Amino acid sequence: MKLGNPEISLAVSDIKASLAFYEALGFKRVEGAEAEKWVVVAQSDLRIGLYQGHVDANSLTFFGGDIEAIAVKLHEAGFELKQSPETEEDGSSGAKAVDPDGNLIYFNT
């Protein structure tokens, strides 16, 4: 089962301040635009998405995985999804789960 590429997704209140903070730590912008209020920064293999008004909570995100297979596997293991796979506004497919400690895990194609 392919989970996809991991990213830590952070809900931020000020995209410019957050971007400046992570750039000071040596992260480089790899995607997004401040005007659209989202930017992805990276350092080595670590990607952090900074989202102002785009996500409700901090989460662990996997992009590019097999959403349907993930949903089936979690269901077979006795876990229910917070959001079943569905088509999102941008045409991608997304699903959400919550781990046993309440952490949001988001899967998106």
Side-chain angles (χ1 to χ4, degrees):
M1 172 177 56
K2 180 182 176 190
L3 287 178
N5 299 314
E7 174 186 293
I8 298 168
S9 299
L10 300 178
V12 302
S13 60
D14 182 331
I15 192 71
K16 289 182 183 199
S18 295
L19 179 58
F21 176 82
Y22 285 98
E23 286 178 333
L25 290 174
F27 284 84
K28 304 290 183 209
R29 179 191 328 216
V30 295
E31 288 183 60
E34 292 173 68
E36 295 176 10
K37 297 188 177 182
W38 73 275
V39 175
V40 177
V41 295
Q43 185 183 81
S44 300
D45 291 335
L46 178 58
R47 290 172 53 96
I48 300 175
L50 307 173
Y51 299 99
Q52 183 178 338
H54 294 277
V55 297
D56 297 330
N58 297 338
S59 66
L60 175 58
T61 301
F62 292 94
F63 288 106
D66 185 341
I67 306 301
E68 295 296 330
I70 292 166
V72 167
K73 184 69 172 177
L74 286 174
H75 180 73
E76 289 174 351
F79 297 102
E80 296 302 319
L81 294 174
K82 180 176 180 175
Q83 172 192 312
S84 295
E86 62 183 40
T87 301
E88 301 195 348
E89 289 180 21
D90 64 0
S92 66
S93 179
K96 295 177 183 174
V98 176
D99 76 8
D101 293 300
N103 298 303
L104 179 64
I105 313 298
Y106 176 57
F107 304 96
N108 184 271
T109 56

